[in-house]
Amino acid sequence: MRIGELAEATGTTPRALRHYEQAGLIASERAANGYRLYDAGAAVRVRNIRQLLDVGLTLDDARVFLPCLDGDVTAGPASGKGLRVAADRLAVLEARIAAQIAVRDRLAEALRRAGCGTSAQPVAPHRSVGSAPTDPAVAHRAPGTSVRPVA
């Protein structure tokens, strides 16, 4: 299948697929006209890559899972190396969240000192990590994800 067909079948973009290929996570062959051609199994691999990215792993992190990207990545027992990579990524994400919370708290305090803390638009209350967002428009999305139009 050609790159556009694979992109459509997996809900991603041709640009993302070229990026995954550059990162060594998927492979293609070239047709006589230079177009990339992917085998049918590439769709499963791309969906698994997307699943790993959606939970916060990076493409570098996903390399650890190469041996199981062609099947159900969640079906088998977790490898020690995979668990370490995921735990390390979680620690990075939690450190970033803590840093952002500290910045938000400093800004909120500055606004309170400036007399803005009692305005009609109060400073948003602290939401603990892992708690659900209160805005129903984003409640269905995982933190850090963007909205893509559904075709």
Side-chain angles (χ1 to χ4, degrees), residues 17-91:
L17 295 174
R18 286 189 291 273
H19 190 65
Y20 301 163
E21 190 170 346
Q22 184 179 15
L25 296 173
I26 61 173
S28 68
E29 300 204 6
R30 295 292 180 144
N33 60 6
Y35 289 176
R36 286 177 166 89
L37 296 176
Y38 298 91
D39 64 34
V44 171
R45 182 172 275 245
V46 170
R47 284 187 197 102
N48 282 326
I49 292 166
R50 298 292 308 160
Q51 186 176 4
L52 294 171
L53 297 175
D54 286 346
V55 299
L57 298 180
T58 66
L59 290 180
D60 285 337
D61 296 337
R63 281 195 189 93
V64 172
F65 299 90
L66 276 173
C68 55
L69 287 179
D70 293 323
D72 185 349
V73 77
T74 61
S79 72
K81 189 172 184 181
L83 290 173
R84 281 190 301 282
V85 165
D88 290 348
R89 181 59 47 205
L90 180 60

Side-chain angles (χ1 to χ4, degrees), residues 73-119:
V73 77
T74 61
S79 72
K81 189 172 184 181
L83 290 173
R84 281 190 301 282
V85 165
D88 290 348
R89 181 59 47 205
L90 180 60
V92 167
L93 292 171
E94 288 184 347
R96 288 179 183 165
I97 290 167
Q100 290 296 304
I101 288 171
V103 169
R104 190 247 0 245
D105 289 349
R106 288 192 301 271
L107 179 57
E109 180 57 30
L111 287 170
R112 277 191 286 278
R113 281 185 301 207
C116 296
T118 58
S119 69

